[in-house]
Amino acid sequence: MADPVKRVNLLPQGATAREKAHADTDGRLDDRLAEARAITARKDPTTCPVDLLPYLAWERSVDVWDPAWPEAVKRAVITAAPTVHAYKGTAYAVKTALAALQVQADVTEWWQANPQGQPYTFSQPYTFSVVAHARSPIYGHVLLDARLIKVVFATVMRTKPLSRAFDLTVAANMPGALGAAGIGVARSTVRVPVYADNSEAFASTLGAAGVAVARSMVRVAMVSPPDV
């Protein structure tokens, strides 16, 4: 409940009981209006108090949530949630959900690949591919680490078509040293690429460790930065 609105009593000393009752009713209506405005502010991801953001995320059915995210990322994820749910199962939903994490995603369906791929088969289980470019660190000062990879993978899993398998590449572009740790994921191949001007400098600054899980692998690849 919001605090009652502070107001000055402008009624004359000789006011009747009816006039006093009207003034009291108007005051209570003002109190309810103040409470409604306070509730509205708490329902808005841009104005909701930080300590209430997890509850707002629950109310909006945010699929992937990490208390360690910066405040701006939490607000962006909550803001994007209704759109993600409205388009869930599409490439647009995958891109929107990852964009809230400050990750730019390129999604390529099997029929868009060159040469053209094929639908899901046991020998070729990837029916679409996602290249996720991390643009800003959300875990401390490290742009790409195991936590980000897990969050990206979980986000794709919760927004993709349920019956579809995929190939995920998580990339990061940063001028300094980069540390990357492998994670285990089921029925997908995760490649962890980094951009570097010199492969020797890259080899001396990057450490990668893979965790063996059924049908999963972590690779480190050298790729060119995407056009911005």
Side-chain angles (χ1 to χ4, degrees):
M1 300 290 287
D3 293 334
V5 177
K6 305 300 182 182
R7 62 183 62 82
V8 178
N9 186 355
L10 300 179
L11 293 176
Q13 293 183 352
T16 64
R18 182 187 294 271
E19 291 172 334
K20 293 179 180 179
H22 278 301
D24 184 58
T25 301
D26 288 342
R28 288 198 298 270
L29 291 176
D30 288 342
D31 292 344
R32 301 294 86 76
L33 179 60
E35 292 172 0
R37 288 173 177 170
I39 293 174
T40 300
R42 285 165 171 75
K43 297 286 188 178
D44 186 344
T46 62
T47 57
C48 178
V50 177
D51 57 332
L52 296 182
L53 287 176
Y55 303 100
L56 185 59
W58 173 84
E59 183 180 84
R60 295 200 175 190
S61 299
V62 171
D63 290 319
V64 180
W65 181 262
D66 190 342
W69 287 341
E71 178 184 336
V73 172
K74 293 178 180 179
R75 295 186 187 277
V77 169
I78 296 173
T79 300
T83 301
V84 171
H85 282 289
Y87 292 91
K88 183 171 284 190
T90 68
Y92 180 72
V94 173
K95 293 179 180 180
T96 301
L98 291 178
L101 297 172
Q102 301 179 14
V103 173
Q104 176 187 331
D106 298 321
V107 180
T108 304
E109 301 278 5
W110 65 268
W111 48 268
Q112 295 174 316
N114 187 15
Q116 187 179 92
Q118 56 183 330
Y120 179 90
T121 64
F122 287 105
S123 60
Q124 184 68 29
Y126 307 122
T127 55
F128 73 97
S129 64
V130 179
V131 181
H133 303 277
R135 295 300 186 187
S136 179
I138 63 174
Y139 291 105
H141 299 291
V142 179
L143 184 57
L144 179 61
D145 67 359
R147 289 175 296 178
L148 177 62
I149 298 172
K150 290 179 181 179
V151 165
V152 170
F153 178 78
T155 299
V156 176
M157 285 293 293
R158 297 302 297 268
T159 53
K160 75 177 184 69
L162 185 61
S163 62
R164 303 287 295 280
F166 62 98
D167 180 10
L168 173 63
T169 300
V170 183
N173 184 11
M174 63 183 300
L178 181 146
I183 59 169
V185 293
R187 300 188 64 181
S188 290
T189 298
V190 177
R191 299 183 182 90
V192 185
V194 292
Y195 311 130
D197 296 330
N198 184 288
S199 58
E200 293 181 358
F202 162 77
S204 66
T205 59
L206 176 69
V211 179
V213 173
R215 297 189 184 181
S216 66
M217 183 181 298
V218 175
R219 299 174 183 168
V220 176
M222 302 296 294
V223 297
S224 300
D227 295 332
V228 178

